[in-house]
Amino acid sequence: DTEVTQTPKHLVMGMTNKKSLKCEQHMGHRAMYWYKQKAKKPPELMFVYSYEKLSINESVPSRFSPECPNSSLLNLHLHALQPEDSALYLCASSQVLPKGRTFKAEQCFGPGTRLTVT
Amino acid sequence: AQSVTQPDIHITVSEGASLELRCNYSYGATPYLFWYVQSPGQGLQLLLKYFSGDTLVQGIKGFEAEFKRSQSSFNLRKPSVHWSDAAEYFCTLYNFNKFYFGSGTKLNVKP
């Protein structure tokens, strides 16, 4: 299995809702990433997990809460979002080089979840 | 500080014509460079990568890129464009667990 899957493909939520985005990979990758992509813009890194521990948080608002329950799964919990949070949310994964600190550069991306906040 | 610049926001080429997408980077050491392609509403697909060695790298779908250290460039080329190549292309630099994306070039293909 050489792909990253994301569910749901589309999500519409109100500003008071709580929802979750899910990402799964079975390539044995131990680094997983969340990106946010606005229309006509490049992806922006949000979070990185390495060996199920949060490694990088790019000063993301607390209304986004990541979770990595095991080496294959990555969740993004959403609560009290704003309309400006509407975007394509991409998950990616990569290998981690020996010594566990450097991620192998080649990332595999999922197809994304299109989120609309109303 | 590292950065990636893609000077062309939009490019339109005729089907069958050659293509070159420009990418310039700023980085002190030998960079890890990538080209990704993104179709509308989809995730990113890796076209090719440069880590070291041969400066001309071959990728999928008939794409190639040439690394030129003297010009800090990593331009993407294809000799004959197909209508299915219409997409957004991102040049990307990797440094210590982070990717630095260029702003992207949107390719339109005329029939």
Side-chain angles (χ1 to χ4, degrees):
Chain A
D1 190 350
T2 58
E3 64 174 2
V4 176
T5 59
Q6 291 187 243
T7 55
K9 289 186 178 180
H10 301 275
L11 178 63
V12 179
M13 61 184 292
M15 289 189 286
T16 59
N17 292 158
K18 287 185 180 180
K19 296 288 185 183
S20 297
L21 310 184
K22 295 186 184 301
C23 172
E24 190 168 4
Q25 57 88 15
H26 295 287
M27 295 176 281
H29 291 174
R30 302 308 295 272
M32 298 186 75
Y33 310 73
W34 279 116
Y35 288 87
K36 173 183 178 180
Q37 186 179 25
K38 301 285 279 185
K40 303 184 189 302
K41 297 291 186 182
E44 299 173 17
L45 184 65
M46 300 175 72
F47 303 103
V48 183
Y49 273 82
S50 174
Y51 288 94
E52 297 87 70
K53 294 190 188 307
L54 186 63
S55 176
I56 296 174
N57 177 343
E58 291 290 322
S59 303
V60 179
S62 60
R63 57 185 185 269
F64 295 91
S65 176
E67 178 195 21
C68 190
N70 61 54
S71 61
S72 300
L73 293 175
L74 184 66
N75 299 322
L76 186 63
H77 303 297
L78 314 172
H79 174 55
L81 294 193
Q82 303 298 311
E84 59 265 28
D85 297 321
S86 298
L88 180 69
Y89 287 83
L90 294 165
C91 175
S93 69
S94 70
Q95 295 178 352
V96 180
L97 293 178
K99 298 186 181 180
R101 291 195 60 205
T102 304
F103 306 148
K104 194 169 182 181
E106 189 169 334
Q107 291 187 340
C108 296
F109 283 84
T113 293
R114 175 70 61 188
L115 174 67
T116 302
V117 181
T118 60
Chain B
Q2 48 275 334
S3 65
V4 177
T5 302
Q6 293 179 246
D8 305 305
I9 298 174
H10 290 99
I11 282 186
T12 298
V13 299
S14 298
E15 191 169 14
S18 63
L19 170 70
E20 182 169 32
L21 301 183
R22 296 184 292 164
C23 172
N24 294 100
Y25 68 90
S26 173
Y27 186 66
T30 299
Y32 288 179
L33 294 165
F34 303 80
W35 276 99
Y36 284 90
V37 61
Q38 185 177 32
S39 297
Q42 300 297 312
L44 278 70
Q45 183 181 23
L46 179 66
L47 286 176
L48 47 78
K49 60 192 176 188
Y50 173 77
F51 288 167
S52 64
D54 193 348
T55 56
L56 184 64
V57 294
Q58 302 296 320
I60 62 171
K61 304 184 178 185
F63 286 93
E64 66 177 26
E66 186 170 12
F67 173 69
K68 293 185 177 180
R69 184 186 302 277
S70 61
Q71 298 177 18
S72 297
S73 69
F74 187 56
N75 294 348
L76 182 71
R77 301 194 293 248
K78 186 170 185 177
S80 178
V81 169
H82 188 262
W83 63 266
S84 60
D85 294 324
E88 188 89 25
Y89 291 80
F90 291 102
C91 181
T92 308
L93 183 151
Y94 172 80
N95 177 41
F96 195 62
N97 301 344
K98 287 189 180 182
F99 275 77
Y100 298 87
F101 287 86
S103 54
T105 297
K106 184 175 175 59
L107 174 65
N108 295 314
V109 180
K110 291 190 301 184

